[in-house]
Amino acid sequence: DILALLVKTELAPSRSDARRAIEQGGVSVNGEKVSAIDAVFAMELFEDGVVVKKGKKNFRKVTV
């Protein structure tokens, strides 16, 4: 889920901080804004790499 992804990539220190960032509209995945706290992404999406962004300047590329 998106909350665990934000915590694992160290973009958010906790799940509650990640939830707050999503509710405020500051999280995007591959350029698309994430508005649902329970968003889940397919594993096939991570093969090529996914860019997770929190705010303006904090982003990570995630691959599996």
Side-chain angles (χ1 to χ4, degrees), residues 1-62:
D1 64 340
I2 188 66
L3 297 177
L5 186 63
L6 287 170
V7 173
K8 292 277 187 183
T9 57
E10 298 179 357
L11 287 171
S14 65
R15 291 178 64 92
S16 63
D17 187 52
R19 178 177 289 123
R20 201 172 307 116
I22 293 170
E23 289 173 350
Q24 292 175 356
V27 176
S28 64
V29 175
N30 280 344
E32 295 183 23
K33 187 186 234 184
V34 177
S35 59
I37 295 172
D38 58 348
V40 178
F41 300 99
M43 189 61 94
E44 293 82 27
L45 186 66
F46 291 99
E47 290 176 359
D48 296 332
V50 173
V51 176
V52 181
K53 187 174 177 184
K54 178 185 168 204
K56 276 189 175 180
K57 299 179 183 177
N58 299 322
F59 57 92
R60 303 280 192 279
K61 184 170 184 179
V62 181

